[in-house]
Amino acid sequence: MECFRIVGPTRIRGEVTASGAKNAALPALAASLLSEGPLELSGLPAVRDIRTMRQLLGHLGVESEEQGEVVRLQAGEQTHFDDAPYELVKTMRASILVLGPLVARLGHARVSLPGGCAIGVRPIDQHLAGLEALGAEVQLEHGYVSARAHRLTGGVFRFTAPTVTGTENLMMAACLARGTTVLQNCAREPEIRDLATLLRKMGAHIEGAGSERIEIEGVERLTSASHRVIPDRIEIGTYLLAAAMTGGEIFVRGAISADLAPLLEKLAASGCDLEASNTGLRLSRAGDLKPRDILTAPHPGFPTDLQAQYMALMTQATGQATICETVFENRFQHVSELARMGADIRINGAFAHVHGPTPLSGARVMATDLRASACLVLAGMAAGGETIVGRIYHLDRGYEQMELKLQQLGARVQRLPAEPTRAA
Ligand code: UD1
């Protein structure tokens, strides 16, 4: 199994370009099922989750080809394929995003219950209840969801709690429903706004995406469109945190500050200098780091997808920082690995108390999920000596060419084909 070998400490210094957002690209790809096409998407990051979604779409009969940076998807008539099998869905929870478009366009779908990161139970009950509110008949059997509807009908649905892919799934389904749909208590992430922009280009009538209430007036059919996905705010945040943690300086080209506000506020408060421009965002840190508490929450709260990386940063702050994880119930798996590198972190339910600063020392650690892996890479760059991060297939799900980007920033990070038998 491939791993990263990191030799630290390093100071991150230089410029990096943001990749397209994985979490915007996944629903954009699924949207190709909504029309005969073609749908032309650019800015898709070269990461494993995107390859998995394209494979799934291929299985569902969507033809895709690459023309330079543009991926051209054509669902065509789409009358036969409605089955998303376990083998494809198990590695990626976001596969559930094909459910809404398939039911809306074909009138039926059979999708395996998803797998994905081991960061909690993560049910899909809201996706299903929402489809039922639009008139679909939903059944769960043998690990599969089957949904049917002659034609979906607009309705009112209130999410019990905001869900990102749930909001996206229903937004896509409602585009082709008869009549008007009102979704309430929706997730407000920038990726949802981006999907609405794409759907509108395809001819959908959507208002309010990015707010708590989204209204969609169904249309008979959607058409072809071209779209570039927004930059990846989680990738950008990860690189900013890398520079902050190593006392370095970075310019991230393509960063949209407004979408990163909750992180930027904490970085500024903890002693980093930030400067936003039309082309990107610059961060530097020269002085000590101050501890700052965070509480993860749906957007515009602090993103749970940056919690692990922020925790790595707080190990270098002077004093105690408390991190409260409210979105997922099992998202502290990086803590025991950070402890192996010398971090002093105590967990109490949904709270992690980080005491710093602790000098980190290189160790063998194991990635457990996508963002936990990124946290260990940051810690490895700040730590003295050699760190081996195992199971980086998790990282490859969501970070495009991470080792190359970090090398460009001066880090000593190498991808090894297998874990060395003995740590140096
Ligand atoms: C998306 C992101 C993921 C991010 C997460 C939260 C994508 C592809 N993935 O995941 O990177 O970590 O948002 O920002 O965009 N829930 C239910 N019932 C449901 C759906 C969700 O109880 O039907 C719960 C989940 O268990 C979780 C919370 O709602 O506790 C938020 O999950 P959700 O927003 O749905 O996450 P994803 O859309 O899967």
Side-chain angles (χ1 to χ4, degrees):
M1 244 185 264
E2 290 187 335
C3 68
F4 272 2
R5 175 174 180 269
I6 304 168
V7 180
T10 1
R11 205 178 278 270
I12 288 296
R13 203 170 282 282
E15 178 176 324
V16 72
T17 300
S19 295
K22 165 181 89 71
N23 287 354
L26 289 168
L29 284 164
S32 68
L33 290 164
L34 286 167
S35 81
E36 282 191 23
L39 179 60
E40 291 184 345
L41 296 175
S42 48
L44 302 181
V47 297
R48 191 156 56 89
D49 276 7
I50 298 302
R51 288 193 289 278
T52 307
M53 182 58 99
R54 287 183 64 188
Q55 221 183 329
L56 176 57
L57 292 173
H59 175 87
L60 293 168
V62 179
E63 286 174 16
S64 73
E65 62 179 60
E66 277 172 52
Q67 292 163 342
E69 224 229 333
V70 177
V71 174
R72 192 167 189 272
L73 301 125
Q74 184 116 35
E77 288 284 325
Q78 257 286 329
T79 44
H80 303 300
F81 310 102
D82 74 338
D83 186 74
Y86 176 68
E87 292 67 39
L88 285 173
V89 174
K90 69 177 178 191
T91 56
M92 189 181 70
R93 177 179 159 82
S95 312
I96 195 67
L97 284 167
V98 301
L99 181 64
L102 282 176
V103 184
R105 176 115 186 278
L106 299 186
H108 47 89
R110 186 169 174 271
V111 178
S112 170
L113 288 166
C117 276
I119 54 172
V121 181
R122 305 183 85 178
I124 53 159
D125 56 304
Q126 294 297 298
H127 301 237
L128 305 186
L131 283 176
E132 281 176 334
L134 300 186
E137 235 176 73
V138 177
Q139 280 182 331
L140 285 182
E141 47 189 14
H142 310 301
Y144 278 76
V145 180
S146 296
R148 273 185 183 276
H150 178 58
R151 181 171 175 197
L152 294 172
T153 320
V156 177
F157 181 72
R158 184 176 181 81
F159 292 98
T160 50
T163 148
V164 177
T165 47
T167 303
E168 292 164 346
N169 228 341
L170 288 194
M171 209 163 79
M172 288 191 280
C175 284
L176 292 179
R178 186 184 294 116
T180 304
T181 298
V182 176
L183 302 175
Q184 294 165 339
N185 200 20
C186 295
R188 292 179 278 166
E189 269 66 4
E191 292 75 20
I192 291 169
R193 252 180 10 233
D194 194 45
L195 175 63
T197 304
L198 162 63
L199 293 170
R200 275 197 297 267
K201 289 180 187 170
M202 294 171 75
H205 296 168
I206 303 178
E207 272 174 36
S211 78
E212 172 282 326
R213 182 182 186 280
I214 302 179
E215 190 168 322
I216 303 137
E217 202 190 306
V219 294
E220 287 289 327
R221 62 182 53 81
L222 295 175
T223 57
S224 54
S226 301
H227 184 69
R228 168 175 285 278
V229 298
I230 53 172
D232 194 318
R233 65 196 165 96
I234 305 301
E235 187 207 31
I236 294 164
T238 302
Y239 289 118
L240 293 175
L241 284 160
M245 183 163 185
T246 59
E249 182 176 357
I250 194 170
F251 178 72
V252 188
R253 191 165 290 282
I256 301 174
S257 304
D259 291 345
L260 285 152
L263 171 69
L264 300 185
E265 254 168 53
K266 293 295 169 182
L267 286 171
S270 66
C272 297
D273 291 318
L274 292 154
E275 196 189 311
S277 68
N278 289 342
T279 50
L281 190 57
R282 185 176 304 282
L283 175 145
S284 61
R285 176 175 73 83
D288 285 349
L289 264 175
K290 299 182 195 72
R292 286 293 174 268
D293 299 345
I294 59 160
L295 174 110
T296 65
H299 194 76
F302 192 98
T304 174
D305 283 352
L306 285 171
Q307 177 259 108
Q309 302 90 312
Y310 185 82
M311 189 182 294
L313 175 73
M314 285 299 107
T315 65
Q316 301 309 299
T318 307
Q320 180 182 299
T322 296
I323 292 176
C324 178
E325 173 58 59
T326 73
V327 179
F328 293 114
E329 70 278 19
N330 187 23
R331 208 170 196 182
F332 283 147
Q333 293 177 65
H334 43 285
V335 169
S336 53
E337 301 302 292
L338 284 176
R340 303 193 65 245
M341 300 177 75
D344 179 1
I345 304 169
R346 269 153 240 177
I347 298 182
N348 181 10
F351 295 88
H353 304 289
V354 187
H355 300 266
T358 43
L360 299 178
S361 61
R364 262 177 180 239
V365 288
M366 203 174 71
T368 48
D369 66 63
L370 170 55
R371 306 304 171 184
S373 321
C375 143
L376 298 176
V377 173
L378 301 198
M381 291 190 298
E386 180 185 84
T387 293
I388 301 287
V389 182
R391 301 201 177 172
I392 51 162
Y393 60 87
H394 288 295
L395 259 184
D396 293 334
R397 284 188 47 205
Y399 287 93
E400 182 172 57
Q401 299 194 315
M402 188 183 223
E403 73 274 29
L404 299 183
K405 289 191 176 188
L406 288 173
Q407 284 162 11
Q408 192 183 318
L409 292 166
R412 286 186 285 166
V413 181
Q414 259 179 298
R415 179 182 292 262
L416 303 181
E419 289 186 34
T421 42
R422 224 168 356 127

